[in-house]
Amino acid sequence: MALDHFRQAGLRARKEELERAARFGADHVFLFTGGLGDGERGLVAARRRAEDHIGRLLELARRVGVKLALEPLHPMLAGDRTVITSLTSANDLCDALGHGIGVVVDVYHVWWDERLEAEIMRAGRSGRLLGFHVNDWLLPTRHLLTDRGMMGDGIIDLKGIEVMMRRAGFVGGLEVEIFSTNWWARDPGEVMEIAISRCREIFGGPSHASYLSRVLDSAMTLRITAA
Amino acid sequence: MALDHFRQAGLRARKEELERAARFGADHVFLFTGGLGDGERGLVAARRRAEDHIGRLLELARRVGVKLALEPLHPMLAGDRTVITSLTSANDLCDALGHGIGVVVDVYHVWWDERLEAEIMRAGRSGRLLGFHVNDWLLPTRHLLTDRGMMGDGIIDLKGIEVMMRRAGFVGGLEVEIFSTNWWARDPGEVMEIAISRCREIFGGPSHASYLSRVLDSAMTLRITAA
Ligand SMILES: [Zn+2]
Ligand SMILES: [Zn+2]
């Protein structure tokens, strides 16, 4: 959902999407603000506008009974994908807007942040941890969007972040989300097996009943059971 | 200066470099912590180690009368270039270590940060703003290291950040720093002219007596006068 869709016609379309999500029994719907407007510079105005639009969207979402999920993205995506680039901003926004909106923690976007543990705990205390995406940060990283790593191939302290999530009260599953031309080119079955075995190695096995895997394509979500 | 140089032999070499800088009458010497150790994951231990090492280096620097300059780098460089990825961390570290250490603000690394203005002001109040690097963030950005933009070609609110710097008391010049395979491939004289004319357009003219330009190569620093 990009900002330029946030006009009246956009809001109507969003309303239909939210209603469809409600019919499917979805717990939450992801929301990305998009980046700057055409020719716009700097994030201050774009952030104010995004907050305003999210507030209006939240009213619709509450009416149909679906939560909104804010996933802060890496600061390298601030220009074109989202203006919410830290868990701190996402938590601040949730505090300001009240119930019905929460956050999704993707290790790729937030692992570098010195505020990480404090903000995960803060989100947990407010009962707004809606999801947990895992993957890894490769050295070197060759592309801003499509060079994520398989868990264990990079430098993120994945287990450390999972411990924070659990201590903060998150009880959901892990979602494997590896946007990567490298992994997309490989045999899907093999990729799945590797992803599951890495998850077992890093996070421990049978206690995690299921992993949601989106290693194959951003448009394809496969639910696999690894119990 | 990478972390793995921070051993005894490394410290001796650093001491010689600092003494040389003092002989040249340098105001400050840049310090980058490097990233993680081999096989290391997560930033907590690396950050503690970096702080410890910077403290020891600061003693040497004070003895020879040269300041240390911390330049926080973009979070996308947290793994391999530095563990200090925000002005907040740099300011915290300076507060902890006392006099003789300051910060350099490079718009490329910090433009996305919602804490930007507050942290520039904080650095200014402590008299520790040592430098100001300008360039631009391109959409799309094709490489993490070598795709910076010429001022005005991207989406950073450069004038807005310069106003913050001036309000915070920074009286130094602007340093143009464009690591870019694209600009490196062009005629150096032409690049200089474009850089200077963009600076005049964006920041205003004769009040800025000089621009330091490092558009050509990371190893080459040219002082050009644009008064
Ligand atoms: Zn994600
Ligand atoms: Zn710089």
Side-chain angles (χ1 to χ4, degrees), chain B residues 66-81:
Chain B
V66 174
K67 276 177 263 184
L68 293 183
L70 292 176
E71 183 177 350
L73 302 184
H74 196 283
M76 69 185 175
L77 306 176
D80 42 1
R81 301 277 161 154

Side-chain angles (χ1 to χ4, degrees), chain B residues 71 106 133 177:
Chain B
E71 183 177 350
D106 185 327
H133 296 179
E177 188 184 60

